[in-house]
Amino acid sequence: MTAKSFADLPYRPCVGVVLTNRQGLVFTGQRIDGPDTAAWQMPQGGIDAGEKPKEAALRELWEETGVTADLVEKVAKTKDWVTYDLPDELLGKVWGGKYRGQKQKWFLFRFLGQDSDVKIATDHPEFRAWAWKPWREVAEGIVPFKRAVYDQVFAEFRDYFG
């Protein structure tokens, strides 16, 4: 495909979750797969057909962390969709080559459970390890092409972190 044809591809509709604990720290998990397995990220994933973004966010949170909807409280969501383009080396290789990147709706949830409620050893694990980190440090661990997304999301949610 040419650069122009990649630019004509749609964005994959997705959600992301900023999960905070009682101390205001943010859940981040170290990826098992992907271009940089040393990368840490927050839970995120695609929106299934007929699914509303909040439903998708709660499903992705459960699938990736074992945290169920009854253990979180919605605090906020991003006003608009946040987009990113895949880097050249991944274009045409991920998601069957159908998308140029992702458009994401992000949700801020407060975690009401205990650390023991987090279970990353799910049926299809995405993370090898997890930690609670200050929000300012979370973007430092993400793959570079998603950094602007994290910066934008944290800028929008900044007032909730004090």
Side-chain angles (χ1 to χ4, degrees), residues 89-138:
E89 66 270 15
L90 295 178
L91 277 170
K93 295 179 182 160
V94 296
W95 309 310
K98 297 187 296 186
Y99 303 101
R100 67 189 275 185
Q102 293 189 4
K103 69 175 188 175
Q104 302 173 320
K105 183 65 72 168
W106 282 84
F107 291 83
L108 174 61
F109 291 128
R110 184 170 293 114
F111 181 53
L112 305 174
Q114 304 298 316
D115 284 0
S116 59
D117 294 318
V118 177
K119 296 175 178 44
I120 60 170
T122 63
D123 289 342
H124 304 282
E126 301 225 4
F127 303 126
R128 73 178 72 241
W130 69 276
W132 296 110
K133 296 183 180 181
W135 69 270
R136 287 184 172 94
E137 292 179 17
V138 173

Short mmCIF file of all heavy atoms in Angstrom, two decimals, residues 89-138:
data_model
loop_
_atom_site.label_atom_id
_atom_site.label_comp_id
_atom_site.label_asym_id
_atom_site.label_seq_id
_atom_site.Cartn_x
_atom_site.Cartn_y
_atom_site.Cartn_z
N GLU A 89 6.31 1.26 10.37
CA GLU A 89 6.69 -0.16 10.44
C GLU A 89 5.54 -1.08 10.85
O GLU A 89 5.63 -2.30 10.67
CB GLU A 89 7.91 -0.37 11.35
CG GLU A 89 7.68 -0.06 12.81
CD GLU A 89 7.97 1.38 13.21
OE1 GLU A 89 8.10 2.26 12.33
OE2 GLU A 89 8.08 1.62 14.42
N LEU A 90 4.45 -0.53 11.39
CA LEU A 90 3.31 -1.36 11.78
C LEU A 90 2.12 -1.24 10.82
O LEU A 90 1.21 -2.07 10.87
CB LEU A 90 2.85 -0.98 13.20
CG LEU A 90 3.85 -1.28 14.32
CD1 LEU A 90 3.29 -0.83 15.66
CD2 LEU A 90 4.21 -2.75 14.35
N LEU A 91 2.14 -0.23 9.97
CA LEU A 91 1.04 -0.05 9.01
C LEU A 91 0.92 -1.28 8.12
O LEU A 91 1.91 -1.79 7.59
CB LEU A 91 1.28 1.19 8.14
CG LEU A 91 0.84 2.50 8.75
CD1 LEU A 91 1.34 3.67 7.91
CD2 LEU A 91 -0.66 2.57 8.92
N GLY A 92 -0.31 -1.76 7.97
CA GLY A 92 -0.57 -2.92 7.14
C GLY A 92 -0.25 -4.25 7.81
O GLY A 92 -0.50 -5.30 7.23
N LYS A 93 0.27 -4.21 9.04
CA LYS A 93 0.66 -5.45 9.72
C LYS A 93 -0.24 -5.80 10.89
O LYS A 93 -0.43 -6.97 11.19
CB LYS A 93 2.11 -5.34 10.20
CG LYS A 93 3.09 -5.23 9.05
CD LYS A 93 4.49 -5.09 9.54
CE LYS A 93 5.42 -4.94 8.33
NZ LYS A 93 6.69 -4.36 8.67
N VAL A 94 -0.76 -4.81 11.59
CA VAL A 94 -1.63 -5.09 12.73
C VAL A 94 -3.08 -4.88 12.32
O VAL A 94 -3.37 -4.16 11.36
CB VAL A 94 -1.27 -4.22 13.96
CG1 VAL A 94 0.12 -4.55 14.45
CG2 VAL A 94 -1.39 -2.75 13.66
N TRP A 95 -3.98 -5.54 13.04
CA TRP A 95 -5.43 -5.47 12.78
C TRP A 95 -5.77 -5.82 11.33
O TRP A 95 -6.67 -5.25 10.72
CB TRP A 95 -6.01 -4.10 13.14
CG TRP A 95 -5.66 -3.65 14.51
CD1 TRP A 95 -5.78 -4.35 15.67
CD2 TRP A 95 -5.11 -2.38 14.87
NE1 TRP A 95 -5.33 -3.59 16.73
CE2 TRP A 95 -4.92 -2.37 16.26
CE3 TRP A 95 -4.77 -1.25 14.14
CZ2 TRP A 95 -4.41 -1.28 16.93
CZ3 TRP A 95 -4.26 -0.17 14.82
CH2 TRP A 95 -4.08 -0.19 16.20
N GLY A 96 -5.01 -6.75 10.77
CA GLY A 96 -5.27 -7.20 9.41
C GLY A 96 -5.07 -6.13 8.36
O GLY A 96 -5.57 -6.27 7.24
N GLY A 97 -4.36 -5.07 8.70
CA GLY A 97 -4.10 -4.01 7.74
C GLY A 97 -5.32 -3.16 7.42
O GLY A 97 -5.30 -2.38 6.46
N LYS A 98 -6.37 -3.26 8.23
CA LYS A 98 -7.63 -2.55 7.94
C LYS A 98 -7.69 -1.13 8.50
O LYS A 98 -8.59 -0.38 8.14
CB LYS A 98 -8.83 -3.33 8.51
CG LYS A 98 -9.02 -4.70 7.88
CD LYS A 98 -10.30 -5.36 8.34
CE LYS A 98 -10.29 -5.63 9.82
NZ LYS A 98 -11.46 -6.40 10.28
N TYR A 99 -6.76 -0.79 9.38
CA TYR A 99 -6.84 0.52 10.06
C TYR A 99 -5.49 1.24 10.01
O TYR A 99 -4.44 0.62 10.03
CB TYR A 99 -7.26 0.34 11.52
CG TYR A 99 -8.56 -0.39 11.68
CD1 TYR A 99 -8.59 -1.74 12.03
CD2 TYR A 99 -9.77 0.26 11.47
CE1 TYR A 99 -9.79 -2.41 12.17
CE2 TYR A 99 -10.97 -0.41 11.61
CZ TYR A 99 -10.98 -1.75 11.96
OH TYR A 99 -12.18 -2.41 12.09
N ARG A 100 -5.58 2.57 10.02
CA ARG A 100 -4.37 3.39 10.04
C ARG A 100 -3.90 3.70 11.46
O ARG A 100 -2.80 4.18 11.69
CB ARG A 100 -4.62 4.70 9.30
CG ARG A 100 -5.62 5.59 10.03
CD ARG A 100 -6.07 6.77 9.26
NE ARG A 100 -5.16 7.88 9.41
CZ ARG A 100 -5.39 9.07 8.90
NH1 ARG A 100 -6.46 9.30 8.18
NH2 ARG A 100 -4.53 10.04 9.08
N GLY A 101 -4.78 3.46 12.41
CA GLY A 101 -4.51 3.75 13.82
C GLY A 101 -5.79 3.55 14.60
O GLY A 101 -6.67 2.80 14.17
N GLN A 102 -5.89 4.23 15.71
CA GLN A 102 -7.08 4.08 16.56
C GLN A 102 -7.68 5.44 16.90
O GLN A 102 -6.97 6.43 17.01
CB GLN A 102 -6.73 3.36 17.86
CG GLN A 102 -6.33 1.94 17.66
CD GLN A 102 -6.20 1.18 18.98
OE1 GLN A 102 -6.47 1.69 20.06
NE2 GLN A 102 -5.79 -0.07 18.89
N LYS A 103 -9.01 5.42 17.07
CA LYS A 103 -9.70 6.55 17.71
C LYS A 103 -10.26 5.98 18.99
O LYS A 103 -10.88 4.91 19.00
CB LYS A 103 -10.78 7.15 16.81
CG LYS A 103 -11.99 6.30 16.57
CD LYS A 103 -13.03 7.07 15.78
CE LYS A 103 -14.33 6.29 15.70
NZ LYS A 103 -15.38 7.06 15.04
N GLN A 104 -9.95 6.65 20.09
CA GLN A 104 -10.26 6.12 21.40
C GLN A 104 -11.10 7.09 22.23
O GLN A 104 -10.86 8.30 22.21
CB GLN A 104 -8.97 5.83 22.16
CG GLN A 104 -8.05 4.86 21.46
CD GLN A 104 -6.72 4.73 22.17
OE1 GLN A 104 -6.15 5.70 22.64
NE2 GLN A 104 -6.22 3.51 22.25
N LYS A 105 -12.04 6.53 22.95
CA LYS A 105 -12.78 7.24 23.99
C LYS A 105 -12.21 6.72 25.31
O LYS A 105 -12.17 5.52 25.55
CB LYS A 105 -14.27 6.94 23.89
CG LYS A 105 -15.14 7.69 24.86
CD LYS A 105 -15.15 9.18 24.67
CE LYS A 105 -15.91 9.61 23.45
NZ LYS A 105 -16.17 11.04 23.41
N TRP A 106 -11.71 7.63 26.14
CA TRP A 106 -11.08 7.25 27.40
C TRP A 106 -12.00 7.51 28.59
O TRP A 106 -12.71 8.53 28.61
CB TRP A 106 -9.77 8.02 27.59
CG TRP A 106 -8.67 7.42 26.76
CD1 TRP A 106 -8.41 7.65 25.45
CD2 TRP A 106 -7.72 6.47 27.21
NE1 TRP A 106 -7.34 6.92 25.05
CE2 TRP A 106 -6.90 6.18 26.10
CE3 TRP A 106 -7.47 5.84 28.42
CZ2 TRP A 106 -5.84 5.27 26.19
CZ3 TRP A 106 -6.41 4.95 28.51
CH2 TRP A 106 -5.61 4.67 27.41
N PHE A 107 -11.97 6.60 29.55
CA PHE A 107 -12.77 6.69 30.77
C PHE A 107 -11.85 6.70 31.98
O PHE A 107 -10.86 5.97 32.02
CB PHE A 107 -13.72 5.49 30.88
CG PHE A 107 -14.82 5.52 29.85
CD1 PHE A 107 -14.59 5.05 28.57
CD2 PHE A 107 -16.06 6.04 30.15
CE1 PHE A 107 -15.58 5.08 27.61
CE2 PHE A 107 -17.06 6.08 29.20
CZ PHE A 107 -16.83 5.61 27.92
N LEU A 108 -12.21 7.53 32.94
CA LEU A 108 -11.51 7.57 34.22
C LEU A 108 -12.41 6.87 35.22
O LEU A 108 -13.55 7.31 35.45
CB LEU A 108 -11.23 9.02 34.65
CG LEU A 108 -10.65 9.24 36.04
CD1 LEU A 108 -9.29 8.57 36.19
CD2 LEU A 108 -10.54 10.73 36.33
N PHE A 109 -11.94 5.76 35.77
CA PHE A 109 -12.67 5.00 36.77
C PHE A 109 -11.89 5.00 38.07
O PHE A 109 -10.66 4.87 38.07
CB PHE A 109 -12.87 3.53 36.35
CG PHE A 109 -13.79 3.31 35.19
CD1 PHE A 109 -13.37 2.56 34.10
CD2 PHE A 109 -15.07 3.81 35.17
CE1 PHE A 109 -14.20 2.31 33.03
CE2 PHE A 109 -15.92 3.59 34.09
CZ PHE A 109 -15.50 2.83 33.03
N ARG A 110 -12.62 5.11 39.18
CA ARG A 110 -12.02 4.97 40.51
C ARG A 110 -12.19 3.52 40.94
O ARG A 110 -13.29 2.97 40.90
CB ARG A 110 -12.68 5.90 41.51
CG ARG A 110 -12.04 5.87 42.90
CD ARG A 110 -12.56 6.97 43.80
NE ARG A 110 -12.13 8.27 43.28
CZ ARG A 110 -12.98 9.21 42.81
NH1 ARG A 110 -14.27 9.00 42.80
NH2 ARG A 110 -12.52 10.36 42.36
N PHE A 111 -11.11 2.89 41.34
CA PHE A 111 -11.11 1.49 41.78
C PHE A 111 -11.57 1.43 43.23
O PHE A 111 -10.99 2.08 44.11
CB PHE A 111 -9.70 0.92 41.62
CG PHE A 111 -9.56 -0.52 42.01
CD1 PHE A 111 -10.38 -1.49 41.48
CD2 PHE A 111 -8.55 -0.90 42.88
CE1 PHE A 111 -10.22 -2.83 41.82
CE2 PHE A 111 -8.38 -2.23 43.22
CZ PHE A 111 -9.21 -3.19 42.69
N LEU A 112 -12.61 0.66 43.50
CA LEU A 112 -13.18 0.55 44.83
C LEU A 112 -12.77 -0.73 45.55
O LEU A 112 -13.11 -0.93 46.71
CB LEU A 112 -14.71 0.61 44.74
CG LEU A 112 -15.29 1.82 44.01
CD1 LEU A 112 -16.80 1.68 43.86
CD2 LEU A 112 -14.91 3.11 44.71
N GLY A 113 -12.05 -1.59 44.84
CA GLY A 113 -11.67 -2.88 45.39
C GLY A 113 -10.34 -2.87 46.10
O GLY A 113 -9.80 -1.81 46.47
N GLN A 114 -9.81 -4.06 46.26
CA GLN A 114 -8.50 -4.28 46.88
C GLN A 114 -7.54 -4.76 45.81
O GLN A 114 -7.95 -5.30 44.79
CB GLN A 114 -8.62 -5.35 47.98
CG GLN A 114 -9.65 -5.05 49.05
CD GLN A 114 -9.34 -3.77 49.81
OE1 GLN A 114 -8.18 -3.54 50.19
NE2 GLN A 114 -10.34 -2.96 50.04
N ASP A 115 -6.25 -4.60 46.06
CA ASP A 115 -5.26 -5.07 45.09
C ASP A 115 -5.46 -6.54 44.73
O ASP A 115 -5.20 -6.96 43.60
CB ASP A 115 -3.85 -4.84 45.60
CG ASP A 115 -3.42 -3.39 45.51
OD1 ASP A 115 -4.22 -2.54 45.06
OD2 ASP A 115 -2.26 -3.10 45.90
N SER A 116 -5.93 -7.33 45.68
CA SER A 116 -6.14 -8.76 45.43
C SER A 116 -7.25 -9.00 44.41
O SER A 116 -7.37 -10.11 43.87
CB SER A 116 -6.46 -9.49 46.74
OG SER A 116 -7.63 -8.93 47.34
N ASP A 117 -8.06 -7.98 44.11
CA ASP A 117 -9.11 -8.10 43.08
C ASP A 117 -8.55 -7.97 41.67
O ASP A 117 -9.24 -8.26 40.70
CB ASP A 117 -10.19 -7.02 43.29
CG ASP A 117 -10.96 -7.21 44.58
OD1 ASP A 117 -11.30 -8.37 44.90
OD2 ASP A 117 -11.21 -6.20 45.27
N VAL A 118 -7.31 -7.50 41.55
CA VAL A 118 -6.67 -7.37 40.24
C VAL A 118 -6.05 -8.72 39.90
O VAL A 118 -5.23 -9.24 40.65
CB VAL A 118 -5.59 -6.27 40.25
CG1 VAL A 118 -4.88 -6.20 38.90
CG2 VAL A 118 -6.20 -4.92 40.61
N LYS A 119 -6.48 -9.27 38.76
CA LYS A 119 -6.00 -10.58 38.34
C LYS A 119 -5.64 -10.53 36.86
O LYS A 119 -6.50 -10.71 36.00
CB LYS A 119 -7.07 -11.64 38.60
CG LYS A 119 -7.38 -11.79 40.08
CD LYS A 119 -8.53 -12.75 40.32
CE LYS A 119 -8.83 -12.98 41.77
NZ LYS A 119 -8.88 -11.89 42.64
N ILE A 120 -4.35 -10.27 36.59
CA ILE A 120 -3.92 -10.13 35.19
C ILE A 120 -3.73 -11.48 34.50
O ILE A 120 -3.58 -11.53 33.28
CB ILE A 120 -2.64 -9.27 35.07
CG1 ILE A 120 -1.48 -9.89 35.84
CG2 ILE A 120 -2.91 -7.84 35.52
CD1 ILE A 120 -0.14 -9.22 35.57
N ALA A 121 -3.76 -12.57 35.24
CA ALA A 121 -3.66 -13.91 34.66
C ALA A 121 -5.05 -14.31 34.16
O ALA A 121 -5.72 -15.18 34.72
CB ALA A 121 -3.12 -14.90 35.67
N THR A 122 -5.51 -13.63 33.11
CA THR A 122 -6.84 -13.84 32.55
C THR A 122 -6.79 -14.94 31.49
O THR A 122 -5.74 -15.51 31.21
CB THR A 122 -7.36 -12.53 31.93
OG1 THR A 122 -6.49 -12.17 30.86
CG2 THR A 122 -7.38 -11.40 32.96
N ASP A 123 -7.94 -15.22 30.86
CA ASP A 123 -8.00 -16.23 29.80
C ASP A 123 -7.07 -15.88 28.64
O ASP A 123 -6.50 -16.76 28.01
CB ASP A 123 -9.43 -16.38 29.28
CG ASP A 123 -10.34 -17.08 30.30
OD1 ASP A 123 -9.80 -17.72 31.23
OD2 ASP A 123 -11.56 -16.97 30.17
N HIS A 124 -6.96 -14.60 28.33
CA HIS A 124 -6.08 -14.12 27.26
C HIS A 124 -5.24 -12.97 27.83
O HIS A 124 -5.54 -11.81 27.58
CB HIS A 124 -6.90 -13.65 26.05
CG HIS A 124 -7.81 -14.71 25.52
ND1 HIS A 124 -7.36 -15.74 24.74
CD2 HIS A 124 -9.14 -14.92 25.69
CE1 HIS A 124 -8.37 -16.53 24.42
NE2 HIS A 124 -9.46 -16.06 24.99
N PRO A 125 -4.21 -13.29 28.59
CA PRO A 125 -3.46 -12.24 29.29
C PRO A 125 -2.79 -11.25 28.34
O PRO A 125 -2.31 -11.61 27.28
CB PRO A 125 -2.42 -13.02 30.10
CG PRO A 125 -2.35 -14.36 29.49
CD PRO A 125 -3.65 -14.62 28.82
N GLU A 126 -2.83 -9.99 28.74
CA GLU A 126 -2.18 -8.92 27.99
C GLU A 126 -0.98 -8.36 28.73
O GLU A 126 -0.12 -7.74 28.13
CB GLU A 126 -3.18 -7.79 27.73
CG GLU A 126 -4.38 -8.26 26.97
CD GLU A 126 -4.78 -7.33 25.84
OE1 GLU A 126 -4.08 -6.34 25.60
OE2 GLU A 126 -5.79 -7.63 25.22
N PHE A 127 -0.95 -8.55 30.06
CA PHE A 127 0.10 -7.99 30.88
C PHE A 127 0.89 -9.08 31.60
O PHE A 127 0.31 -10.06 32.05
CB PHE A 127 -0.49 -7.03 31.92
CG PHE A 127 -1.29 -5.90 31.34
CD1 PHE A 127 -2.60 -5.67 31.75
CD2 PHE A 127 -0.75 -5.05 30.39
CE1 PHE A 127 -3.34 -4.61 31.23
CE2 PHE A 127 -1.48 -4.00 29.86
CZ PHE A 127 -2.77 -3.78 30.28
N ARG A 128 2.20 -8.86 31.74
CA ARG A 128 3.05 -9.78 32.50
C ARG A 128 3.22 -9.31 33.94
O ARG A 128 3.59 -10.09 34.81
CB ARG A 128 4.40 -9.98 31.82
CG ARG A 128 5.33 -8.80 31.93
CD ARG A 128 6.70 -9.02 31.30
NE ARG A 128 6.58 -9.02 29.85
CZ ARG A 128 6.88 -10.05 29.05
NH1 ARG A 128 7.37 -11.14 29.56
NH2 ARG A 128 6.74 -9.95 27.77
N ALA A 129 3.02 -8.01 34.18
CA ALA A 129 3.17 -7.42 35.51
C ALA A 129 2.28 -6.18 35.56
O ALA A 129 1.87 -5.67 34.52
CB ALA A 129 4.62 -7.05 35.78
N TRP A 130 2.00 -5.70 36.76
CA TRP A 130 1.23 -4.48 36.88
C TRP A 130 1.70 -3.71 38.11
O TRP A 130 2.33 -4.25 39.00
CB TRP A 130 -0.28 -4.76 36.92
CG TRP A 130 -0.76 -5.44 38.18
CD1 TRP A 130 -0.75 -6.80 38.44
CD2 TRP A 130 -1.31 -4.83 39.35
NE1 TRP A 130 -1.26 -7.05 39.68
CE2 TRP A 130 -1.62 -5.85 40.26
CE3 TRP A 130 -1.57 -3.51 39.70
CZ2 TRP A 130 -2.19 -5.59 41.51
CZ3 TRP A 130 -2.13 -3.25 40.94
CH2 TRP A 130 -2.44 -4.29 41.83
N ALA A 131 1.35 -2.41 38.12
CA ALA A 131 1.75 -1.55 39.24
C ALA A 131 0.83 -0.34 39.28
O ALA A 131 0.22 0.04 38.27
CB ALA A 131 3.19 -1.10 39.07
N TRP A 132 0.75 0.27 40.45
CA TRP A 132 0.10 1.57 40.61
C TRP A 132 1.20 2.61 40.50
O TRP A 132 2.21 2.52 41.21
CB TRP A 132 -0.59 1.69 41.97
CG TRP A 132 -1.72 0.74 42.19
CD1 TRP A 132 -1.75 -0.33 43.04
CD2 TRP A 132 -3.01 0.80 41.58
NE1 TRP A 132 -2.96 -0.95 42.98
CE2 TRP A 132 -3.76 -0.27 42.09
CE3 TRP A 132 -3.61 1.64 40.64
CZ2 TRP A 132 -5.08 -0.53 41.71
CZ3 TRP A 132 -4.92 1.39 40.26
CH2 TRP A 132 -5.64 0.32 40.79
N LYS A 133 1.02 3.61 39.63
CA LYS A 133 2.04 4.64 39.44
C LYS A 133 1.41 6.03 39.48
O LYS A 133 0.25 6.19 39.10
CB LYS A 133 2.74 4.45 38.09
CG LYS A 133 3.51 3.16 37.97
CD LYS A 133 4.23 3.09 36.65
CE LYS A 133 5.00 1.78 36.52
NZ LYS A 133 5.73 1.71 35.25
N PRO A 134 2.19 7.03 39.85
CA PRO A 134 1.69 8.41 39.74
C PRO A 134 1.37 8.72 38.27
O PRO A 134 2.09 8.28 37.37
CB PRO A 134 2.87 9.26 40.23
CG PRO A 134 3.70 8.33 41.05
CD PRO A 134 3.54 6.98 40.42
N TRP A 135 0.31 9.47 38.04
CA TRP A 135 -0.14 9.71 36.67
C TRP A 135 0.95 10.34 35.82
O TRP A 135 1.03 10.08 34.63
CB TRP A 135 -1.43 10.53 36.64
CG TRP A 135 -1.33 11.95 37.09
CD1 TRP A 135 -1.48 12.42 38.36
CD2 TRP A 135 -1.07 13.09 36.27
NE1 TRP A 135 -1.33 13.78 38.39
CE2 TRP A 135 -1.07 14.23 37.11
CE3 TRP A 135 -0.83 13.29 34.92
CZ2 TRP A 135 -0.85 15.51 36.63
CZ3 TRP A 135 -0.61 14.56 34.44
CH2 TRP A 135 -0.62 15.66 35.30
N ARG A 136 1.78 11.17 36.41
CA ARG A 136 2.83 11.84 35.63
C ARG A 136 3.87 10.85 35.09
O ARG A 136 4.56 11.12 34.12
CB ARG A 136 3.52 12.91 36.47
CG ARG A 136 2.65 14.13 36.68
CD ARG A 136 3.42 15.21 37.44
NE ARG A 136 2.69 16.44 37.49
CZ ARG A 136 1.90 16.81 38.47
NH1 ARG A 136 1.70 15.99 39.49
NH2 ARG A 136 1.27 17.97 38.44
N GLU A 137 4.00 9.69 35.73
CA GLU A 137 4.99 8.69 35.30
C GLU A 137 4.43 7.70 34.27
O GLU A 137 5.21 7.04 33.59
CB GLU A 137 5.49 7.90 36.50
CG GLU A 137 6.33 8.71 37.46
CD GLU A 137 6.78 7.89 38.66
OE1 GLU A 137 6.73 6.64 38.61
OE2 GLU A 137 7.17 8.51 39.66
N VAL A 138 3.12 7.60 34.17
CA VAL A 138 2.53 6.57 33.33
C VAL A 138 2.90 6.75 31.86
O VAL A 138 3.27 5.79 31.17
CB VAL A 138 1.00 6.51 33.53
CG1 VAL A 138 0.35 5.56 32.54
CG2 VAL A 138 0.67 6.10 34.96
#
